[in-house]
Coordinates of all heavy atoms in Angstrom, one line a residue:
M1 N 0.8 -1.2 0.0 CA 0.0 0.0 0.0 C 0.9 1.2 0.0 O 1.9 1.3 0.7 CB -0.9 0.0 1.2 CG -1.9 1.1 1.3 SD -3.0 1.1 2.7 CE -4.0 -0.3 2.3
N2 N 0.5 2.2 -0.8 CA 1.3 3.5 -0.9 C 1.0 4.3 0.4 O 0.1 4.1 1.1 CB 1.0 4.2 -2.2 CG -0.4 4.7 -2.2 OD1 -0.9 5.2 -1.2 ND2 -1.0 4.6 -3.4
P3 N 1.9 5.3 0.7 CA 1.7 6.1 1.9 C 0.4 6.8 2.0 O -0.2 6.9 3.1 CB 2.9 7.1 1.8 CG 3.9 6.5 0.9 CD 3.1 5.6 -0.1
L4 N -0.1 7.3 0.9 CA -1.4 7.9 0.9 C -2.5 6.9 1.2 O -3.4 7.2 2.1 CB -1.7 8.5 -0.5 CG -2.9 9.5 -0.6 CD1 -2.8 10.6 0.4 CD2 -3.0 10.0 -2.1
G5 N -2.5 5.8 0.7 CA -3.5 4.7 1.0 C -3.4 4.3 2.5 O -4.4 4.1 3.1
S6 N -2.1 4.3 3.0 CA -1.9 3.9 4.4 C -2.6 4.9 5.3 O -3.3 4.5 6.3 CB -0.4 3.8 4.6 OG -0.2 3.5 6.0
V7 N -2.4 6.2 5.0 CA -3.0 7.2 5.9 C -4.5 7.2 5.8 O -5.2 7.3 6.8 CB -2.4 8.6 5.5 CG1 -3.2 9.7 6.2 CG2 -1.0 8.7 5.8
C8 N -5.0 7.1 4.6 CA -6.5 7.1 4.4 C -7.1 5.9 5.1 O -8.3 6.0 5.5 CB -6.8 7.1 2.9 SG -6.5 8.7 2.1
S9 N -6.4 4.8 5.1 CA -7.0 3.6 5.7 C -7.2 3.7 7.2 O -8.0 2.9 7.8 CB -6.2 2.3 5.3 OG -5.0 2.4 6.0
E10 N -6.5 4.6 7.8 CA -6.6 4.8 9.2 C -7.7 5.8 9.6 O -8.0 5.9 10.8 CB -5.2 5.4 9.8 CG -4.1 4.4 9.6 CD -2.8 5.0 10.0 OE1 -2.8 6.2 10.6 OE2 -1.7 4.4 9.8
L11 N -8.3 6.4 8.6 CA -9.4 7.4 8.9 C -10.8 6.8 8.7 O -10.9 6.0 7.7 CB -9.2 8.6 8.0 CG -7.8 9.3 8.2 CD1 -7.6 10.4 7.2 CD2 -7.7 9.9 9.6
D12 N -11.7 7.2 9.5 CA -13.1 6.8 9.3 C -13.7 7.3 8.0 O -14.3 6.6 7.3 CB -14.0 7.2 10.5 CG -13.6 6.5 11.8 OD1 -13.0 5.4 11.6 OD2 -13.8 7.0 12.8
V13 N -13.5 8.6 7.8 CA -14.1 9.3 6.6 C -12.9 10.1 6.0 O -12.8 11.3 6.2 CB -15.3 10.2 6.9 CG1 -15.8 10.8 5.7 CG2 -16.3 9.4 7.7
P14 N -12.1 9.5 5.2 CA -11.0 10.2 4.6 C -11.4 11.2 3.5 O -12.4 11.0 2.9 CB -10.1 9.1 4.0 CG -11.0 8.0 3.7 CD -12.1 8.1 4.8
K15 N -10.7 12.3 3.5 CA -11.0 13.3 2.4 C -9.6 13.9 2.0 O -8.8 14.2 2.9 CB -12.0 14.4 2.8 CG -12.3 15.3 1.7 CD -13.5 16.2 1.9 CE -13.8 17.0 0.7 NZ -15.0 17.8 0.8
L16 N -9.4 14.0 0.7 CA -8.1 14.5 0.3 C -8.1 16.0 -0.1 O -9.1 16.4 -0.8 CB -7.6 13.7 -0.9 CG -7.4 12.2 -0.6 CD1 -7.2 11.4 -1.9 CD2 -6.2 11.9 0.3
F17 N -7.1 16.7 0.2 CA -7.0 18.1 -0.2 C -5.5 18.2 -0.7 O -4.6 17.8 0.0 CB -7.1 19.1 0.9 CG -8.5 19.0 1.6 CD1 -8.7 18.2 2.7 CD2 -9.6 19.8 1.1 CE1 -10.0 18.1 3.3 CE2 -10.8 19.7 1.7 CZ -11.0 18.9 2.8
A18 N -5.4 18.7 -2.0 CA -4.0 18.7 -2.5 C -3.8 20.0 -3.3 O -4.7 20.5 -4.0 CB -3.8 17.5 -3.4
C19 N -2.6 20.5 -3.2 CA -2.1 21.5 -4.2 C -0.7 21.2 -4.5 O 0.0 20.5 -3.7 CB -2.2 22.9 -3.5 SG -1.2 23.2 -2.1
G20 N -0.2 21.6 -5.6 CA 1.1 21.3 -6.0 C 1.2 21.1 -7.5 O 0.3 21.5 -8.3
P21 N 2.4 20.5 -7.9 CA 2.6 20.4 -9.4 C 1.6 19.4 -10.0 O 1.0 18.5 -9.3 CB 4.0 19.8 -9.4 CG 4.3 19.3 -8.1 CD 3.5 20.0 -7.1
E22 N 1.3 19.6 -11.2 CA 0.2 18.8 -11.9 C 0.5 17.3 -11.9 O -0.5 16.6 -11.7 CB 0.1 19.3 -13.4 CG -1.1 18.7 -14.1 CD -1.4 19.4 -15.4 OE1 -1.5 20.6 -15.5 OE2 -1.4 18.7 -16.4
P23 N 1.7 16.8 -12.1 CA 1.9 15.4 -12.0 C 1.4 14.8 -10.7 O 0.9 13.7 -10.6 CB 3.4 15.2 -12.2 CG 3.8 16.4 -13.0 CD 3.0 17.5 -12.5
M24 N 1.7 15.5 -9.6 CA 1.2 15.1 -8.3 C -0.3 15.1 -8.2 O -0.9 14.2 -7.6 CB 1.8 15.9 -7.2 CG 1.5 15.4 -5.8 SD 1.9 16.6 -4.5 CE 0.5 17.7 -4.6
L25 N -0.9 16.2 -8.7 CA -2.4 16.3 -8.7 C -3.0 15.2 -9.4 O -4.1 14.6 -9.1 CB -2.8 17.6 -9.2 CG -2.4 18.9 -8.4 CD1 -3.0 20.1 -9.0 CD2 -2.9 18.7 -6.9
I26 N -2.4 14.8 -10.5 CA -2.9 13.7 -11.3 C -2.9 12.4 -10.5 O -3.9 11.6 -10.5 CB -2.1 13.5 -12.6 CG1 -2.4 14.7 -13.6 CG2 -2.4 12.2 -13.3 CD1 -1.4 14.8 -14.7
V27 N -1.9 12.1 -9.8 CA -1.8 10.9 -9.0 C -2.8 11.0 -7.8 O -3.5 10.0 -7.6 CB -0.3 10.8 -8.4 CG1 -0.3 9.7 -7.3 CG2 0.7 10.5 -9.5
V28 N -3.0 12.1 -7.2 CA -4.0 12.2 -6.1 C -5.4 12.1 -6.7 O -6.2 11.4 -6.1 CB -3.8 13.6 -5.4 CG1 -4.9 13.8 -4.4 CG2 -2.5 13.7 -4.7
K29 N -5.6 12.7 -7.8 CA -7.0 12.5 -8.5 C -7.2 11.1 -8.8 O -8.3 10.6 -8.5 CB -7.0 13.4 -9.7 CG -8.2 13.2 -10.6 CD -8.0 13.9 -11.9 CE -9.0 13.4 -13.0 NZ -10.3 13.3 -12.7
D30 N -6.3 10.4 -9.4 CA -6.5 9.0 -9.8 C -6.7 8.1 -8.5 O -7.6 7.2 -8.5 CB -5.3 8.4 -10.6 CG -5.2 9.1 -12.0 OD1 -6.2 9.7 -12.4 OD2 -4.2 8.9 -12.6
F31 N -6.0 8.4 -7.5 CA -6.1 7.7 -6.2 C -7.5 7.9 -5.6 O -8.2 7.0 -5.2 CB -5.0 8.0 -5.2 CG -5.2 7.4 -3.9 CD1 -4.7 6.1 -3.7 CD2 -5.8 8.0 -2.8 CE1 -4.9 5.4 -2.5 CE2 -5.9 7.4 -1.6 CZ -5.5 6.1 -1.4
A32 N -7.9 9.2 -5.6 CA -9.2 9.5 -5.0 C -10.4 8.8 -5.8 O -11.3 8.3 -5.1 CB -9.4 11.0 -5.0
I33 N -10.3 8.8 -7.1 CA -11.4 8.2 -7.9 C -11.3 6.7 -7.7 O -12.4 6.0 -7.5 CB -11.2 8.6 -9.3 CG1 -11.6 10.1 -9.4 CG2 -12.1 7.8 -10.2 CD1 -11.4 10.8 -10.8
T34 N -10.1 6.1 -7.8 CA -10.0 4.6 -7.7 C -10.5 4.2 -6.3 O -11.2 3.1 -6.2 CB -8.5 4.2 -7.8 OG1 -8.1 4.7 -9.1 CG2 -8.4 2.7 -7.7
E35 N -10.2 4.9 -5.3 CA -10.6 4.5 -3.9 C -11.9 5.1 -3.4 O -12.3 4.9 -2.3 CB -9.5 4.9 -2.9 CG -8.1 4.3 -3.2 CD -8.1 2.8 -3.1 OE1 -8.8 2.2 -2.2 OE2 -7.4 2.1 -3.9
S36 N -12.6 5.8 -4.3 CA -13.9 6.5 -4.0 C -13.8 7.3 -2.7 O -14.6 7.3 -1.8 CB -15.0 5.4 -3.8 OG -15.2 4.7 -5.0
I37 N -12.7 8.1 -2.7 CA -12.5 9.1 -1.6 C -12.7 10.5 -2.2 O -12.2 10.8 -3.2 CB -11.0 8.9 -1.1 CG1 -10.8 7.6 -0.5 CG2 -10.8 10.0 -0.1 CD1 -9.4 7.3 0.0
A38 N -13.5 11.3 -1.4 CA -13.7 12.7 -1.9 C -12.4 13.4 -1.8 O -11.6 13.2 -0.9 CB -14.7 13.3 -0.9
G39 N -12.2 14.3 -2.8 CA -11.0 15.0 -2.8 C -11.1 16.4 -3.5 O -12.0 16.5 -4.3
E40 N -10.4 17.3 -3.0 CA -10.4 18.7 -3.6 C -9.0 19.0 -4.0 O -8.0 18.8 -3.3 CB -10.9 19.7 -2.7 CG -12.4 19.5 -2.4 CD -13.0 20.6 -1.5 OE1 -12.3 21.6 -1.2 OE2 -14.2 20.4 -1.1
L41 N -8.8 19.5 -5.3 CA -7.5 19.8 -5.8 C -7.5 21.3 -6.1 O -8.4 21.9 -6.7 CB -7.3 19.1 -7.1 CG -7.5 17.5 -7.1 CD1 -7.4 17.0 -8.5 CD2 -6.6 16.9 -6.1
S42 N -6.4 21.9 -5.7 CA -6.1 23.3 -6.0 C -5.2 23.4 -7.2 O -4.1 23.0 -7.2 CB -5.5 24.1 -4.9 OG -5.3 25.4 -5.2
V43 N -5.8 23.9 -8.4 CA -5.1 23.8 -9.6 C -4.3 25.1 -9.9 O -4.8 26.2 -9.6 CB -6.1 23.6 -10.8 CG1 -5.5 23.7 -12.1 CG2 -6.8 22.3 -10.6
E44 N -3.1 25.0 -10.4 CA -2.3 26.2 -10.8 C -2.5 26.4 -12.3 O -2.6 25.5 -13.1 CB -0.8 26.0 -10.4 CG -0.6 25.8 -8.9 CD 0.9 25.7 -8.6 OE1 1.7 25.7 -9.5 OE2 1.2 25.5 -7.4
S45 N -2.5 27.7 -12.7 CA -2.6 28.0 -14.1 C -2.0 29.4 -14.3 O -2.1 30.2 -13.4 CB -4.1 28.0 -14.5 OG -4.2 28.4 -15.8
Y46 N -1.4 29.5 -15.5 CA -1.0 30.9 -15.9 C -2.2 31.7 -16.1 O -3.2 31.3 -16.8 CB -0.1 30.8 -17.1 CG 1.2 30.2 -16.9 CD1 1.4 28.9 -17.4 CD2 2.2 30.8 -16.2 CE1 2.7 28.3 -17.2 CE2 3.4 30.2 -16.0 CZ 3.6 28.9 -16.5 OH 4.8 28.3 -16.3
M47 N -2.2 32.9 -15.5 CA -3.3 33.8 -15.6 C -2.9 35.1 -16.3 O -2.1 35.9 -15.7 CB -4.0 34.0 -14.3 CG -4.6 32.8 -13.7 SD -5.5 33.1 -12.2 CE -5.8 31.4 -11.7
G48 N -3.5 35.4 -17.4 CA -3.2 36.7 -18.1 C -4.0 37.8 -17.6 O -3.5 39.0 -17.5
C49 N -5.2 37.6 -17.2 CA -6.1 38.7 -16.8 C -6.7 38.5 -15.5 O -7.1 39.5 -14.8 CB -7.1 38.9 -17.9 SG -8.4 37.6 -18.0
A50 N -7.0 37.2 -15.1 CA -7.7 36.9 -13.9 C -9.1 37.5 -13.8 O -9.7 37.7 -12.7 CB -6.9 37.3 -12.6
T51 N -9.7 37.8 -15.0 CA -11.0 38.3 -15.0 C -12.0 37.6 -15.9 O -13.1 38.0 -16.1 CB -11.0 39.8 -15.4 OG1 -10.5 39.9 -16.7 CG2 -10.2 40.7 -14.4
G52 N -11.5 36.5 -16.6 CA -12.3 35.8 -17.5 C -12.3 36.2 -18.9 O -13.1 35.8 -19.7
I53 N -11.4 37.2 -19.3 CA -11.4 37.7 -20.6 C -10.4 37.0 -21.5 O -10.8 36.7 -22.7 CB -11.0 39.2 -20.6 CG1 -12.1 40.0 -19.8 CG2 -10.8 39.8 -22.0 CD1 -11.8 41.4 -19.5
C54 N -9.2 36.7 -21.1 CA -8.2 36.2 -22.0 C -8.4 34.7 -22.3 O -7.8 34.2 -23.3 CB -6.8 36.5 -21.4 SG -6.3 35.4 -20.1
Q55 N -9.1 33.9 -21.5 CA -9.3 32.5 -21.7 C -8.0 31.7 -21.7 O -7.8 30.7 -22.3 CB -10.0 32.2 -23.1 CG -11.2 33.0 -23.3 CD -12.4 32.6 -22.5 OE1 -12.8 31.4 -22.6 NE2 -12.8 33.4 -21.6
G56 N -7.0 32.3 -21.0 CA -5.7 31.6 -20.9 C -5.5 30.6 -19.8 O -4.5 30.0 -19.6
C57 N -6.5 30.4 -19.0 CA -6.4 29.6 -17.8 C -7.4 28.4 -17.8 O -7.7 27.9 -16.7 CB -6.7 30.4 -16.5 SG -8.3 31.1 -16.5
V58 N -7.7 27.9 -19.0 CA -8.7 26.9 -19.0 C -8.2 25.5 -18.5 O -7.0 25.2 -18.6 CB -9.3 26.7 -20.5 CG1 -10.0 27.9 -20.9 CG2 -8.2 26.3 -21.4
I59 N -9.1 24.8 -18.0 CA -8.9 23.4 -17.6 C -10.1 22.6 -18.1 O -11.2 23.1 -18.0 CB -8.6 23.2 -16.1 CG1 -8.2 21.7 -15.9 CG2 -9.8 23.5 -15.3 CD1 -7.5 21.5 -14.5
E60 N -9.9 21.4 -18.6 CA -11.0 20.6 -19.1 C -11.8 20.0 -18.0 O -11.2 19.5 -17.0 CB -10.4 19.5 -20.0 CG -11.5 18.8 -20.8 CD -10.9 17.9 -21.9 OE1 -9.7 17.9 -22.1 OE2 -11.7 17.3 -22.6
R61 N -13.1 20.0 -18.2 CA -14.0 19.4 -17.2 C -14.1 17.9 -17.5 O -14.1 17.5 -18.7 CB -15.4 20.0 -17.3 CG -15.5 21.5 -16.9 CD -16.9 21.9 -17.1 NE -17.1 23.3 -17.0 CZ -17.3 24.0 -15.8 NH1 -17.4 23.3 -14.7 NH2 -17.4 25.3 -15.8
Q62 N -14.3 17.1 -16.5 CA -14.6 15.7 -16.6 C -16.1 15.6 -16.7 O -16.8 15.4 -15.7 CB -14.1 15.0 -15.4 CG -14.2 13.5 -15.5 CD -13.0 12.9 -16.2 OE1 -11.9 13.3 -16.1 NE2 -13.3 11.9 -17.1
N63 N -16.7 15.9 -17.9 CA -18.1 15.9 -18.1 C -18.5 15.2 -19.3 O -18.5 15.7 -20.4 CB -18.6 17.4 -18.2 CG -20.0 17.5 -18.2 OD1 -20.8 16.6 -18.2 ND2 -20.5 18.8 -18.1
G64 N -18.9 13.9 -19.1 CA -19.2 13.1 -20.2 C -20.5 13.5 -20.9 O -20.7 13.2 -22.1
A65 N -21.3 14.3 -20.3 CA -22.6 14.7 -20.9 C -22.5 16.0 -21.7 O -23.4 16.4 -22.3 CB -23.7 14.9 -19.8
A66 N -21.3 16.6 -21.6 CA -21.1 17.9 -22.3 C -21.2 17.7 -23.8 O -20.7 16.7 -24.4 CB -19.8 18.5 -21.9
S67 N -21.8 18.7 -24.4 CA -21.8 18.7 -25.9 C -20.4 18.9 -26.4 O -19.6 19.7 -25.8 CB -22.7 19.8 -26.4 OG -22.5 20.1 -27.7
K68 N -20.0 18.3 -27.5 CA -18.7 18.5 -28.1 C -18.5 19.9 -28.5 O -17.4 20.4 -28.6 CB -18.6 17.6 -29.3 CG -18.3 16.2 -29.0 CD -18.0 15.4 -30.3 CE -17.6 14.0 -30.0 NZ -17.3 13.2 -31.2
H69 N -19.5 20.6 -28.8 CA -19.4 22.0 -29.3 C -19.7 23.1 -28.3 O -19.7 24.2 -28.6 CB -20.3 22.2 -30.5 CG -20.1 21.2 -31.6 ND1 -18.9 21.1 -32.3 CD2 -20.8 20.1 -32.0 CE1 -19.0 20.1 -33.2 NE2 -20.1 19.5 -33.0
S70 N -19.9 22.7 -27.0 CA -20.1 23.6 -26.0 C -18.8 23.9 -25.2 O -18.4 23.1 -24.3 CB -21.2 23.1 -25.0 OG -21.3 24.1 -24.0
Y71 N -18.2 25.0 -25.5 CA -16.9 25.4 -24.9 C -17.1 25.5 -23.4 O -16.3 24.9 -22.6 CB -16.5 26.7 -25.4 CG -15.2 27.2 -24.8 CD1 -13.9 26.8 -25.3 CD2 -15.2 28.2 -23.8 CE1 -12.8 27.3 -24.7 CE2 -14.1 28.7 -23.3 CZ -12.9 28.2 -23.7 OH -11.7 28.7 -23.1
H72 N -18.1 26.1 -22.9 CA -18.3 26.3 -21.5 C -18.7 25.0 -20.7 O -18.5 25.0 -19.5 CB -19.3 27.4 -21.2 CG -18.8 28.8 -21.6 ND1 -17.8 29.4 -21.0 CD2 -19.1 29.5 -22.7 CE1 -17.5 30.5 -21.6 NE2 -18.2 30.6 -22.6
D73 N -19.3 24.1 -21.4 CA -19.5 22.8 -20.8 C -18.2 22.0 -20.7 O -18.1 21.2 -19.7 CB -20.5 22.0 -21.6 CG -21.9 22.5 -21.4 OD1 -22.2 23.3 -20.5 OD2 -22.8 22.0 -22.1
R74 N -17.4 22.1 -21.6 CA -16.1 21.3 -21.7 C -15.0 21.9 -20.9 O -14.1 21.1 -20.4 CB -15.7 21.1 -23.1 CG -16.6 20.2 -23.9 CD -16.1 19.9 -25.2 NE -14.9 19.0 -25.0 CZ -14.0 18.7 -26.0 NH1 -14.2 19.2 -27.2 NH2 -13.0 18.0 -25.7
Y75 N -15.0 23.2 -20.7 CA -13.8 23.8 -20.1 C -14.2 24.8 -18.9 O -15.3 25.3 -19.0 CB -13.0 24.6 -21.1 CG -12.4 23.8 -22.2 CD1 -13.1 23.7 -23.4 CD2 -11.3 23.0 -22.0 CE1 -12.6 22.9 -24.4 CE2 -10.8 22.2 -23.0 CZ -11.5 22.2 -24.2 OH -11.0 21.4 -25.2
S76 N -13.4 24.9 -18.0 CA -13.6 25.8 -16.9 C -12.5 26.9 -16.8 O -11.3 26.5 -17.1 CB -13.6 25.0 -15.5 OG -13.7 25.9 -14.4
L77 N -12.8 28.1 -16.4 CA -11.8 29.1 -16.3 C -11.3 29.0 -14.8 O -12.1 29.3 -13.9 CB -12.3 30.5 -16.6 CG -12.8 30.7 -18.0 CD1 -13.4 32.1 -18.1 CD2 -11.6 30.6 -19.0
V78 N -10.0 28.7 -14.6 CA -9.5 28.6 -13.3 C -9.6 29.9 -12.5 O -9.9 29.9 -11.3 CB -8.0 28.1 -13.3 CG1 -7.4 28.1 -12.0 CG2 -8.0 26.7 -14.0
C79 N -9.4 31.0 -13.2 CA -9.5 32.3 -12.5 C -10.8 32.6 -11.9 O -10.9 33.3 -10.9 CB -9.0 33.4 -13.4 SG -10.1 33.9 -14.8
L80 N -11.9 32.2 -12.6 CA -13.2 32.5 -12.1 C -13.9 31.4 -11.3 O -14.6 31.6 -10.4 CB -14.1 32.9 -13.3 CG -13.7 34.2 -14.0 CD1 -14.7 34.4 -15.2 CD2 -13.7 35.3 -13.1
E81 N -13.7 30.1 -11.8 CA -14.4 29.0 -11.2 C -13.5 28.2 -10.3 O -14.0 27.3 -9.6 CB -15.0 28.1 -12.3 CG -16.0 28.9 -13.1 CD -16.4 28.2 -14.4 OE1 -15.6 27.8 -15.2 OE2 -17.6 27.9 -14.5
G82 N -12.2 28.4 -10.4 CA -11.3 27.6 -9.5 C -10.8 28.6 -8.5 O -11.4 29.6 -8.2
P83 N -9.6 28.3 -8.0 CA -8.7 27.2 -8.4 C -9.0 25.8 -7.8 O -8.4 24.9 -8.2 CB -7.3 27.7 -8.0 CG -7.6 28.5 -6.8 CD -9.0 29.1 -7.0
V84 N -10.0 25.8 -6.9 CA -10.2 24.5 -6.2 C -11.4 23.8 -6.9 O -12.5 24.4 -7.1 CB -10.5 24.7 -4.7 CG1 -10.8 23.4 -4.1 CG2 -9.3 25.4 -4.0
Y85 N -11.1 22.5 -7.3 CA -12.2 21.7 -7.9 C -12.2 20.3 -7.2 O -11.3 19.9 -6.7 CB -11.8 21.4 -9.4 CG -11.7 22.6 -10.3 CD1 -10.5 23.4 -10.4 CD2 -12.9 23.0 -10.9 CE1 -10.5 24.5 -11.2 CE2 -12.8 24.2 -11.8 CZ -11.6 24.9 -11.9 OH -11.6 26.0 -12.7
N86 N -13.4 19.7 -7.3 CA -13.5 18.4 -6.8 C -12.7 17.5 -7.8 O -12.6 17.7 -9.0 CB -15.0 17.9 -6.9 CG -15.8 18.5 -5.8 OD1 -15.3 18.8 -4.7 ND2 -17.0 18.8 -6.1
A87 N -12.1 16.5 -7.2 CA -11.2 15.6 -8.0 C -11.9 15.0 -9.2 O -11.2 14.8 -10.2 CB -10.6 14.5 -7.1
S88 N -13.1 14.7 -9.0 CA -13.8 14.1 -10.1 C -14.4 15.1 -11.2 O -14.9 14.7 -12.2 CB -15.0 13.2 -9.6 OG -15.9 14.1 -8.9
E89 N -14.2 16.3 -10.9 CA -14.8 17.4 -11.8 C -13.9 17.8 -13.0 O -14.4 18.3 -13.9 CB -15.0 18.6 -10.9 CG -15.7 19.8 -11.5 CD -15.9 20.9 -10.5 OE1 -15.3 20.9 -9.4 OE2 -16.5 21.9 -10.8
I90 N -12.6 17.5 -12.9 CA -11.7 18.0 -13.9 C -10.8 16.9 -14.4 O -10.7 15.9 -13.8 CB -10.8 19.2 -13.4 CG1 -10.0 18.7 -12.1 CG2 -11.6 20.4 -13.1 CD1 -9.0 19.7 -11.7
C91 N -10.2 17.1 -15.6 CA -9.2 16.2 -16.1 C -8.0 17.0 -16.6 O -8.1 18.1 -17.0 CB -9.8 15.3 -17.1 SG -10.6 16.1 -18.5
F92 N -6.9 16.3 -16.5 CA -5.6 17.0 -16.9 C -5.2 16.3 -18.3 O -5.3 15.1 -18.4 CB -4.5 16.7 -15.9 CG -4.8 17.3 -14.5 CD1 -5.4 16.5 -13.5 CD2 -4.5 18.6 -14.3 CE1 -5.6 17.0 -12.3 CE2 -4.7 19.1 -13.0 CZ -5.3 18.3 -12.0
S93 N -5.0 17.2 -19.2 CA -4.6 16.7 -20.5 C -3.1 16.9 -20.8 O -2.4 17.5 -20.1 CB -5.4 17.3 -21.6 OG -5.4 18.7 -21.5
Ligands
FES1 S1 -6.7 34.4 -16.5 FE1 -7.7 35.3 -18.2 S2 -9.5 34.1 -18.4 FE2 -8.6 33.3 -16.6

């Protein structure tokens, strides 16, 4: 068992909170989903305006029901809607 799994197994109701580099967030997200543990991830993004205008801070949503042509269903602006997301809410590409 990995260290994260070991810590979570000792808790009655584990919940994960993570911030840091994207490769680490990917591992925490995959672990949370695999183990059905609630988790919140603080995502980092380059922000050109921080007001929703430049569209430079997008992250893809994990939304299977989204229309292929609906930009706002498929992507979230980290500056306005983040930076904290539920682990199951976003995907890293
Ligand atoms: S930083 Fe410009 S839209 Fe988010």
Side-chain angles (χ1 to χ4, degrees):
M1 183 178 292
N2 65 43
L4 191 54
S6 178
V7 169
C8 287
S9 70
E10 296 174 8
L11 301 172
D12 292 336
V13 184
K15 184 165 184 177
L16 299 169
F17 301 92
C19 62
E22 190 170 304
M24 186 194 77
L25 294 180
I26 291 170
V27 171
V28 172
K29 170 187 162 50
D30 291 345
F31 177 81
I33 291 172
T34 301
E35 299 297 323
S36 299
I37 296 173
E40 294 185 6
L41 309 176
S42 183
V43 176
E44 295 181 3
S45 178
Y46 291 106
M47 296 188 189
C49 70
T51 60
I53 295 172
C54 76
Q55 309 288 296
C57 62
V58 295
I59 188 164
E60 191 169 358
R61 294 179 192 272
Q62 185 85 40
N63 186 352
S67 163
K68 281 186 177 178
H69 304 292
S70 174
Y71 177 83
H72 291 290
D73 283 349
R74 292 191 64 193
Y75 299 100
S76 172
L77 296 175
V78 174
C79 70
L80 295 181
E81 300 170 301
V84 178
Y85 295 90
N86 288 325
S88 61
E89 185 180 6
I90 55 172
C91 54
F92 298 96
S93 48

